[in-house]
Amino acid sequence: MTRRKMLAIAATAITLSASAAGLTDSLNYHIRLGYNIGGTAPIGMPATIRQLNKYTLKSNISFAFDIQKDLWDRWGLLTGLHVENKGMKVDATVKNYHIEMVKGSQKLTGYFTGRNVTNVDEWLLTIPLMGTFAVSDNLRLKLGPYLSFVMSRKFDGYAYNGHLREGTPTGDWVDILESEDQRGSYDFSDDMRKLQAGIDLGADWYLSKRWGLYADITWGLTGIHHSDFKTIDQTLYPIFGTVGVTYRLK
């Protein structure tokens, strides 16, 4: 199924659900274009990660169509459809970092000390369900859960300038060098979840009747890998901030 068909089906489902619930009166429609900044990371920096040497931003664009309904007083409800890219590339210095890699024709599992480059790239179709509170005519706060379907996913990288202890922290020593044929590569893309869930906290600030700015923080409550994936000791969560412009259609 193409992305265009998926978008059409999801948009139709949202509209029909709202109509069936009698919520189509006095709806507010918003289009958003934003940029995601963040990454996938464990909660708290583990001792195995000693230093972040380089962080590279990806395209990380976010396009959203939201529907908001005022319910009572200043409170309301918001849902929508977001197509977004979340990715990062990080070069870190690690020590005794548990990993599985391929070096030449060898498949190695053990504890690596040296430099590790991780590349993450995801395209997601996200549906939020957020409560809204109008602080004023120009400022609205938002909070609620989201569900993301991962349309494409990548988690790969390589280790270099170090060594691996096979099996245990005191196992056989294997040099992992810098050249492409001497470093260790890995690809855990197939171990990533196709569904993610989390919490979205944000604010819309309107500069005029139509145009405004928005900011959101999305915190994944499910790790990006399946729960039975144990090659990396730490659970990695998608944590991103989004900033952008919004246009109110109605």
Side-chain angles (χ1 to χ4, degrees):
M1 184 179 295
T2 65
R3 292 179 185 174
R4 183 175 297 177
K5 289 182 179 179
M6 292 174 61
L7 291 173
I9 292 171
T12 301
I14 292 171
T15 302
L16 291 177
S17 298
S19 179
L23 297 177
T24 54
D25 296 333
S26 303
L27 294 177
N28 302 305
Y29 302 96
H30 309 264
I31 293 176
R32 308 179 192 275
L33 180 63
Y35 185 77
N36 295 315
I37 304 171
T40 56
I43 303 301
M45 187 66 74
T48 53
I49 300 178
R50 296 306 178 93
Q51 181 178 324
L52 294 180
N53 304 307
K54 187 177 180 180
Y55 171 85
T56 304
L57 293 171
K58 296 294 190 76
S59 58
N60 286 5
I61 193 171
S62 175
F63 178 78
F65 174 73
D66 285 338
I67 303 171
Q68 191 270 337
K69 167 74 174 178
D70 292 325
L71 297 178
W72 66 86
D73 196 15
R74 298 185 177 186
W75 294 93
L77 188 66
L78 180 146
T79 187
L81 191 64
H82 301 186
V83 179
E84 50 190 352
N85 181 213
K86 291 182 176 180
M88 69 167 193
K89 185 176 182 180
V90 173
D91 185 323
T93 299
V94 300
K95 184 175 182 180
N96 292 331
Y97 187 78
H98 188 264
I99 198 167
E100 181 181 286
M101 65 178 71
V102 174
K103 178 188 177 185
S105 60
Q106 291 180 288
K107 186 174 182 179
L108 305 170
T109 301
Y111 295 81
F112 174 71
T113 296
R115 299 280 290 270
N116 181 62
V117 174
T118 300
N119 177 62
V120 184
D121 195 7
E122 296 181 289
W123 276 98
L124 307 108
L125 186 66
T126 298
I127 299 176
L129 182 61
M130 307 173 73
T132 64
F133 180 77
V135 178
S136 66
D137 291 340
N138 297 327
L139 179 62
R140 178 182 286 116
L141 304 180
K142 309 170 293 182
L143 174 64
Y146 70 84
L147 181 67
S148 293
F149 172 72
V150 184
M151 297 183 289
S152 68
R153 58 200 191 278
K154 178 185 289 186
F155 189 104
D156 59 12
Y158 58 91
Y160 70 106
N161 277 2
H163 66 271
L164 180 87
R165 291 282 194 174
E166 284 195 86
T168 70
T170 58
D172 291 342
W173 179 298
V174 179
D175 287 321
I176 307 295
L177 305 180
E178 187 170 3
S179 62
E180 188 170 347
D181 61 336
Q182 291 296 313
R183 67 192 188 191
S185 62
Y186 55 87
D187 188 338
F188 305 135
S189 303
D190 291 340
D191 298 296
M192 299 176 73
R193 294 178 184 269
K194 293 184 179 180
L195 285 176
Q196 297 179 6
I199 296 293
D200 190 339
L201 169 65
D204 296 337
W205 178 36
Y206 278 88
L207 307 174
S208 65
K209 182 179 179 180
R210 300 289 186 185
W211 289 98
L213 304 174
Y214 79 98
D216 285 86
I217 296 176
T218 56
W219 193 296
L221 300 180
T222 54
I224 64 170
H225 294 106
H226 297 299
S227 57
D228 59 355
F229 176 73
K230 303 299 182 184
T231 302
I232 298 176
D233 290 336
Q234 302 83 24
T235 301
L236 303 178
Y237 298 93
I239 304 169
F240 284 82
T242 307
V243 293
V245 296
T246 181
Y247 181 78
R248 182 158 43 195
L249 296 171
K250 177 185 174 185

